[in-house]
Short mmCIF file of all heavy atoms in Angstrom, two decimals:
data_model
loop_
_atom_site.label_atom_id
_atom_site.label_comp_id
_atom_site.label_asym_id
_atom_site.label_seq_id
_atom_site.Cartn_x
_atom_site.Cartn_y
_atom_site.Cartn_z
N GLY A 203 19.39 42.61 -64.96
CA GLY A 203 19.20 43.51 -66.07
C GLY A 203 17.79 43.71 -66.49
O GLY A 203 17.53 44.38 -67.54
N LYS A 204 16.84 43.15 -65.77
CA LYS A 204 15.48 43.28 -66.13
C LYS A 204 14.62 43.95 -65.10
O LYS A 204 15.08 44.05 -63.90
CB LYS A 204 14.86 41.93 -66.54
CG LYS A 204 15.48 41.27 -67.68
CD LYS A 204 14.74 40.02 -68.09
CE LYS A 204 15.33 39.35 -69.37
NZ LYS A 204 14.52 38.17 -69.76
N GLU A 205 13.45 44.41 -65.41
CA GLU A 205 12.57 45.01 -64.40
C GLU A 205 11.89 43.90 -63.59
O GLU A 205 11.77 42.77 -64.02
CB GLU A 205 11.52 45.84 -65.11
CG GLU A 205 12.05 47.09 -65.80
CD GLU A 205 10.96 47.93 -66.31
OE1 GLU A 205 9.77 47.56 -66.29
OE2 GLU A 205 11.28 49.13 -66.83
N ARG A 206 11.52 44.30 -62.42
CA ARG A 206 10.82 43.33 -61.55
C ARG A 206 9.41 43.03 -62.19
O ARG A 206 8.77 43.99 -62.74
CB ARG A 206 10.68 43.92 -60.21
CG ARG A 206 10.15 42.92 -59.17
CD ARG A 206 10.57 43.26 -57.74
NE ARG A 206 10.23 44.59 -57.31
CZ ARG A 206 10.58 45.12 -56.16
NH1 ARG A 206 11.32 44.45 -55.34
NH2 ARG A 206 10.16 46.37 -55.89
N GLU A 207 8.97 41.76 -62.14
CA GLU A 207 7.76 41.38 -62.71
C GLU A 207 6.92 40.50 -61.75
O GLU A 207 7.49 39.81 -60.89
CB GLU A 207 7.93 40.55 -63.99
CG GLU A 207 8.72 39.32 -63.81
CD GLU A 207 8.81 38.49 -65.08
OE1 GLU A 207 8.30 38.87 -66.11
OE2 GLU A 207 9.46 37.43 -65.01
N GLY A 208 5.61 40.58 -61.89
CA GLY A 208 4.74 39.79 -61.01
C GLY A 208 4.81 38.35 -61.51
O GLY A 208 4.76 38.07 -62.68
N VAL A 209 4.81 37.43 -60.54
CA VAL A 209 4.83 36.05 -60.81
C VAL A 209 3.50 35.34 -60.45
O VAL A 209 2.89 34.66 -61.22
CB VAL A 209 5.95 35.33 -60.08
CG1 VAL A 209 5.92 33.82 -60.25
CG2 VAL A 209 7.31 35.89 -60.48
N SER A 210 3.01 35.66 -59.23
CA SER A 210 1.78 35.06 -58.75
C SER A 210 1.32 35.82 -57.54
O SER A 210 2.07 36.50 -56.84
CB SER A 210 2.07 33.62 -58.34
OG SER A 210 0.89 32.93 -57.96
N CYS A 211 -0.02 35.77 -57.37
CA CYS A 211 -0.54 36.37 -56.11
C CYS A 211 -1.74 35.50 -55.62
O CYS A 211 -2.28 34.72 -56.39
CB CYS A 211 -0.96 37.83 -56.28
SG CYS A 211 -2.31 38.05 -57.40
N ILE A 212 -1.96 35.72 -54.33
CA ILE A 212 -3.02 34.94 -53.69
C ILE A 212 -3.81 35.83 -52.74
O ILE A 212 -3.22 36.67 -52.07
CB ILE A 212 -2.42 33.69 -52.98
CG1 ILE A 212 -3.54 32.77 -52.43
CG2 ILE A 212 -1.47 34.16 -51.84
CD1 ILE A 212 -2.98 31.38 -52.00
N SER A 213 -5.11 35.60 -52.78
CA SER A 213 -5.97 36.42 -51.87
C SER A 213 -5.78 36.05 -50.45
O SER A 213 -5.21 35.03 -50.12
CB SER A 213 -7.43 36.20 -52.29
OG SER A 213 -7.84 34.90 -52.06
N SER A 214 -6.36 36.87 -49.57
CA SER A 214 -6.13 36.59 -48.08
C SER A 214 -6.69 35.28 -47.67
O SER A 214 -6.15 34.60 -46.82
CB SER A 214 -6.81 37.77 -47.32
OG SER A 214 -8.21 37.82 -47.65
N SER A 215 -7.75 34.88 -48.30
CA SER A 215 -8.39 33.57 -47.91
C SER A 215 -7.71 32.38 -48.67
O SER A 215 -7.92 31.20 -48.29
CB SER A 215 -9.84 33.55 -48.26
OG SER A 215 -10.06 33.61 -49.62
N GLY A 216 -7.02 32.72 -49.73
CA GLY A 216 -6.39 31.68 -50.55
C GLY A 216 -7.34 31.26 -51.69
O GLY A 216 -6.94 30.39 -52.52
N GLY A 217 -8.59 31.79 -51.73
CA GLY A 217 -9.49 31.34 -52.71
C GLY A 217 -9.22 31.86 -54.18
O GLY A 217 -9.77 31.27 -55.09
N ASP A 218 -8.55 32.93 -54.25
CA ASP A 218 -8.29 33.50 -55.56
C ASP A 218 -6.77 33.55 -55.77
O ASP A 218 -6.03 34.01 -54.95
CB ASP A 218 -8.83 34.96 -55.69
CG ASP A 218 -10.34 34.86 -55.67
OD1 ASP A 218 -10.94 34.08 -56.42
OD2 ASP A 218 -10.92 35.71 -54.92
N THR A 219 -6.36 33.13 -56.98
CA THR A 219 -4.96 33.21 -57.36
C THR A 219 -4.76 33.78 -58.76
O THR A 219 -5.69 33.70 -59.55
CB THR A 219 -4.30 31.78 -57.24
OG1 THR A 219 -4.97 30.90 -58.11
CG2 THR A 219 -4.32 31.23 -55.85
N TRP A 220 -3.61 34.19 -59.01
CA TRP A 220 -3.26 34.69 -60.34
C TRP A 220 -1.80 34.31 -60.63
O TRP A 220 -0.97 34.21 -59.74
CB TRP A 220 -3.28 36.20 -60.42
CG TRP A 220 -2.70 36.73 -61.67
CD1 TRP A 220 -3.27 36.85 -62.85
CD2 TRP A 220 -1.31 37.28 -61.79
NE1 TRP A 220 -2.36 37.40 -63.77
CE2 TRP A 220 -1.18 37.67 -63.15
CE3 TRP A 220 -0.26 37.38 -60.93
CZ2 TRP A 220 0.02 38.14 -63.62
CZ3 TRP A 220 0.91 37.93 -61.36
CH2 TRP A 220 1.09 38.30 -62.69
N TYR A 221 -1.58 33.93 -61.94
CA TYR A 221 -0.19 33.55 -62.37
C TYR A 221 0.15 34.28 -63.61
O TYR A 221 -0.65 34.43 -64.52
CB TYR A 221 -0.09 32.00 -62.59
CG TYR A 221 -0.43 31.20 -61.42
CD1 TYR A 221 -1.66 30.71 -61.17
CD2 TYR A 221 0.65 30.87 -60.56
CE1 TYR A 221 -1.97 29.94 -60.00
CE2 TYR A 221 0.38 30.10 -59.42
CZ TYR A 221 -0.92 29.63 -59.12
OH TYR A 221 -1.14 28.88 -58.02
N ALA A 222 1.36 34.61 -63.71
CA ALA A 222 1.92 35.16 -64.97
C ALA A 222 1.83 34.04 -66.03
O ALA A 222 2.05 32.87 -65.68
CB ALA A 222 3.30 35.66 -64.79
N ASP A 223 1.71 34.34 -67.28
CA ASP A 223 1.60 33.41 -68.30
C ASP A 223 2.87 32.56 -68.34
O ASP A 223 2.87 31.37 -68.60
CB ASP A 223 1.37 34.04 -69.71
CG ASP A 223 -0.07 34.58 -69.82
OD1 ASP A 223 -0.90 34.19 -69.04
OD2 ASP A 223 -0.25 35.40 -70.70
N SER A 224 3.99 33.17 -68.05
CA SER A 224 5.28 32.46 -68.17
C SER A 224 5.46 31.38 -67.18
O SER A 224 6.31 30.47 -67.30
CB SER A 224 6.38 33.45 -67.98
OG SER A 224 6.36 34.10 -66.75
N VAL A 225 4.63 31.34 -66.08
CA VAL A 225 4.77 30.29 -65.04
C VAL A 225 3.54 29.44 -64.86
O VAL A 225 3.54 28.51 -64.15
CB VAL A 225 5.17 31.00 -63.68
CG1 VAL A 225 6.35 31.82 -63.84
CG2 VAL A 225 4.02 31.71 -63.04
N LYS A 226 2.52 29.80 -65.58
CA LYS A 226 1.26 29.13 -65.43
C LYS A 226 1.41 27.63 -65.79
O LYS A 226 2.01 27.27 -66.81
CB LYS A 226 0.20 29.77 -66.41
CG LYS A 226 -1.29 29.52 -65.99
CD LYS A 226 -2.23 30.36 -66.84
CE LYS A 226 -2.04 31.85 -66.52
NZ LYS A 226 -2.99 32.67 -67.27
N GLY A 227 0.89 26.75 -64.97
CA GLY A 227 1.00 25.38 -65.10
C GLY A 227 2.26 24.75 -64.53
O GLY A 227 2.43 23.53 -64.43
N ARG A 228 3.21 25.61 -64.14
CA ARG A 228 4.46 25.14 -63.53
C ARG A 228 4.55 25.53 -62.05
O ARG A 228 5.16 24.83 -61.21
CB ARG A 228 5.69 25.69 -64.30
CG ARG A 228 5.70 25.23 -65.71
CD ARG A 228 7.09 25.63 -66.39
NE ARG A 228 7.21 27.07 -66.37
CZ ARG A 228 8.26 27.71 -65.86
NH1 ARG A 228 9.18 27.02 -65.17
NH2 ARG A 228 8.37 29.05 -65.93
N PHE A 229 4.05 26.71 -61.74
CA PHE A 229 4.20 27.28 -60.39
C PHE A 229 2.76 27.19 -59.68
O PHE A 229 1.77 27.35 -60.33
CB PHE A 229 4.62 28.71 -60.42
CG PHE A 229 6.01 28.97 -60.80
CD1 PHE A 229 6.79 27.99 -61.40
CD2 PHE A 229 6.63 30.21 -60.61
CE1 PHE A 229 8.14 28.19 -61.75
CE2 PHE A 229 7.87 30.47 -60.97
CZ PHE A 229 8.61 29.47 -61.56
N THR A 230 2.85 26.99 -58.37
CA THR A 230 1.59 26.99 -57.57
C THR A 230 1.76 27.75 -56.32
O THR A 230 2.76 27.52 -55.62
CB THR A 230 1.20 25.57 -57.18
OG1 THR A 230 1.06 24.80 -58.35
CG2 THR A 230 -0.12 25.55 -56.44
N ILE A 231 0.91 28.72 -56.09
CA ILE A 231 0.99 29.56 -54.90
C ILE A 231 -0.05 28.97 -53.88
O ILE A 231 -1.09 28.58 -54.32
CB ILE A 231 0.77 31.01 -55.22
CG1 ILE A 231 1.11 31.91 -54.02
CG2 ILE A 231 -0.66 31.29 -55.67
CD1 ILE A 231 1.12 33.40 -54.32
N SER A 232 0.35 29.02 -52.62
CA SER A 232 -0.58 28.54 -51.54
C SER A 232 -0.24 29.25 -50.33
O SER A 232 0.81 29.92 -50.16
CB SER A 232 -0.51 27.02 -51.40
OG SER A 232 0.82 26.62 -51.00
N ARG A 233 -1.10 29.10 -49.31
CA ARG A 233 -0.90 29.76 -48.05
C ARG A 233 -1.40 28.90 -46.91
O ARG A 233 -2.37 28.21 -47.02
CB ARG A 233 -1.43 31.14 -48.05
CG ARG A 233 -2.96 31.24 -48.10
CD ARG A 233 -3.33 32.73 -48.37
NE ARG A 233 -2.95 33.58 -47.28
CZ ARG A 233 -2.74 34.91 -47.39
NH1 ARG A 233 -3.05 35.52 -48.51
NH2 ARG A 233 -2.37 35.64 -46.35
N ASP A 234 -0.74 29.19 -45.76
CA ASP A 234 -1.23 28.56 -44.51
C ASP A 234 -1.34 29.73 -43.56
O ASP A 234 -0.32 30.09 -42.91
CB ASP A 234 -0.17 27.50 -44.07
CG ASP A 234 -0.59 26.90 -42.74
OD1 ASP A 234 -1.62 27.35 -42.06
OD2 ASP A 234 0.06 25.93 -42.34
N ASN A 235 -2.50 30.20 -43.39
CA ASN A 235 -2.67 31.37 -42.53
C ASN A 235 -2.44 31.06 -41.04
O ASN A 235 -2.02 32.01 -40.30
CB ASN A 235 -4.13 31.97 -42.70
CG ASN A 235 -4.25 32.74 -44.00
OD1 ASN A 235 -3.27 33.20 -44.59
ND2 ASN A 235 -5.42 32.87 -44.51
N ALA A 236 -2.65 29.84 -40.67
CA ALA A 236 -2.38 29.51 -39.24
C ALA A 236 -0.88 29.65 -38.91
O ALA A 236 -0.53 29.87 -37.76
CB ALA A 236 -2.83 28.13 -38.99
N ASN A 237 -0.04 29.46 -39.95
CA ASN A 237 1.38 29.57 -39.80
C ASN A 237 1.99 30.81 -40.38
O ASN A 237 3.21 30.88 -40.53
CB ASN A 237 2.06 28.35 -40.28
CG ASN A 237 1.84 27.10 -39.42
OD1 ASN A 237 2.31 27.06 -38.24
ND2 ASN A 237 1.13 26.16 -39.92
N ASN A 238 1.13 31.73 -40.86
CA ASN A 238 1.56 33.00 -41.34
C ASN A 238 2.56 32.84 -42.54
O ASN A 238 3.58 33.57 -42.60
CB ASN A 238 2.25 33.83 -40.24
CG ASN A 238 1.41 34.99 -39.81
OD1 ASN A 238 0.22 35.15 -40.17
ND2 ASN A 238 2.00 35.82 -38.95
N THR A 239 2.29 31.86 -43.41
CA THR A 239 3.22 31.50 -44.46
C THR A 239 2.57 31.38 -45.77
O THR A 239 1.46 30.85 -45.90
CB THR A 239 4.03 30.23 -44.11
OG1 THR A 239 4.63 30.37 -42.83
CG2 THR A 239 5.05 29.93 -45.16
N VAL A 240 3.23 31.89 -46.78
CA VAL A 240 2.81 31.69 -48.15
C VAL A 240 3.92 30.94 -48.88
O VAL A 240 5.07 31.31 -48.71
CB VAL A 240 2.48 33.03 -48.88
CG1 VAL A 240 2.22 32.90 -50.36
CG2 VAL A 240 1.29 33.70 -48.18
N TRP A 241 3.56 30.01 -49.75
CA TRP A 241 4.60 29.30 -50.49
C TRP A 241 4.43 29.50 -51.99
O TRP A 241 3.39 29.80 -52.48
CB TRP A 241 4.39 27.78 -50.27
CG TRP A 241 4.77 27.32 -48.83
CD1 TRP A 241 5.96 27.16 -48.29
CD2 TRP A 241 3.83 26.99 -47.81
NE1 TRP A 241 5.87 26.79 -47.04
CE2 TRP A 241 4.58 26.59 -46.66
CE3 TRP A 241 2.46 26.97 -47.76
CZ2 TRP A 241 4.02 26.26 -45.52
CZ3 TRP A 241 1.84 26.54 -46.55
CH2 TRP A 241 2.59 26.19 -45.45
N LEU A 242 5.47 29.28 -52.70
CA LEU A 242 5.49 29.19 -54.13
C LEU A 242 6.22 27.94 -54.51
O LEU A 242 7.41 27.86 -54.48
CB LEU A 242 6.15 30.46 -54.76
CG LEU A 242 6.07 30.52 -56.28
CD1 LEU A 242 4.62 30.79 -56.71
CD2 LEU A 242 6.99 31.59 -56.86
N GLN A 243 5.44 26.99 -55.04
CA GLN A 243 5.96 25.71 -55.49
C GLN A 243 6.35 25.93 -56.93
O GLN A 243 5.45 26.29 -57.73
CB GLN A 243 4.97 24.57 -55.32
CG GLN A 243 5.48 23.24 -55.92
CD GLN A 243 6.61 22.67 -55.07
OE1 GLN A 243 6.66 22.74 -53.90
NE2 GLN A 243 7.59 22.14 -55.82
N MET A 244 7.58 25.74 -57.28
CA MET A 244 8.06 26.00 -58.64
C MET A 244 8.56 24.63 -59.23
O MET A 244 9.53 24.09 -58.69
CB MET A 244 9.14 26.99 -58.63
CG MET A 244 8.78 28.31 -57.98
SD MET A 244 10.07 29.57 -58.06
CE MET A 244 11.43 28.87 -57.23
N ASN A 245 7.89 24.16 -60.18
CA ASN A 245 8.21 22.90 -60.88
C ASN A 245 8.71 23.13 -62.23
O ASN A 245 8.41 24.19 -62.88
CB ASN A 245 7.00 21.91 -60.91
CG ASN A 245 6.53 21.55 -59.53
OD1 ASN A 245 7.33 21.47 -58.57
ND2 ASN A 245 5.23 21.37 -59.37
N ASN A 246 9.40 22.20 -62.80
CA ASN A 246 9.96 22.25 -64.19
C ASN A 246 10.55 23.62 -64.39
O ASN A 246 10.29 24.29 -65.40
CB ASN A 246 8.79 22.04 -65.15
CG ASN A 246 9.28 21.90 -66.61
OD1 ASN A 246 10.44 21.48 -66.83
ND2 ASN A 246 8.37 22.15 -67.55
N LEU A 247 11.45 23.92 -63.53
CA LEU A 247 12.21 25.21 -63.66
C LEU A 247 12.96 25.33 -64.93
O LEU A 247 13.58 24.36 -65.42
CB LEU A 247 13.04 25.44 -62.40
CG LEU A 247 12.27 25.92 -61.16
CD1 LEU A 247 13.10 25.59 -59.91
CD2 LEU A 247 11.91 27.28 -61.22
N LYS A 248 13.04 26.55 -65.40
CA LYS A 248 13.75 26.85 -66.66
C LYS A 248 14.85 27.92 -66.38
O LYS A 248 14.72 28.66 -65.44
CB LYS A 248 12.77 27.39 -67.75
CG LYS A 248 11.63 26.45 -68.04
CD LYS A 248 10.68 27.12 -68.99
CE LYS A 248 9.50 26.15 -69.29
NZ LYS A 248 8.58 26.71 -70.27
N PRO A 249 15.85 27.94 -67.23
CA PRO A 249 16.93 28.97 -66.98
C PRO A 249 16.33 30.40 -66.91
O PRO A 249 16.87 31.26 -66.18
CB PRO A 249 17.82 28.80 -68.19
CG PRO A 249 17.65 27.36 -68.55
CD PRO A 249 16.21 26.98 -68.26
N GLU A 250 15.24 30.65 -67.65
CA GLU A 250 14.68 31.96 -67.67
C GLU A 250 13.91 32.31 -66.38
O GLU A 250 13.45 33.43 -66.17
CB GLU A 250 13.73 32.18 -68.90
CG GLU A 250 12.64 31.10 -69.01
CD GLU A 250 13.11 30.00 -70.05
OE1 GLU A 250 14.33 29.60 -70.04
OE2 GLU A 250 12.28 29.63 -70.85
N ASP A 251 13.80 31.32 -65.47
CA ASP A 251 13.21 31.54 -64.21
C ASP A 251 14.24 32.11 -63.17
O ASP A 251 13.95 32.49 -62.06
CB ASP A 251 12.63 30.36 -63.53
CG ASP A 251 11.47 29.78 -64.38
OD1 ASP A 251 10.64 30.61 -64.79
OD2 ASP A 251 11.35 28.54 -64.60
N THR A 252 15.52 32.20 -63.61
CA THR A 252 16.54 32.74 -62.78
C THR A 252 16.33 34.17 -62.41
O THR A 252 16.10 34.99 -63.30
CB THR A 252 17.91 32.60 -63.49
OG1 THR A 252 18.26 31.17 -63.67
CG2 THR A 252 19.08 33.25 -62.71
#
Side-chain angles (χ1 to χ4, degrees):
K204 295 187 177 181
E205 294 186 352
R206 190 155 55 186
E207 63 176 356
V209 175
S210 182
C211 66
I212 188 167
S213 63
S214 57
S215 68
D218 293 313
T219 58
W220 168 82
Y221 297 94
D223 287 344
S224 58
V225 306
K226 204 171 292 183
R228 300 188 296 123
F229 291 11
T230 303
I231 192 169
S232 61
R233 65 189 299 158
D234 179 351
N235 285 337
N237 288 294
N238 255 8
T239 303
V240 172
W241 292 283
L242 185 69
Q243 177 68 41
M244 306 187 297
N245 297 330
N246 190 23
L247 282 160
K248 304 177 180 180
E250 52 263 43
D251 295 318
T252 295

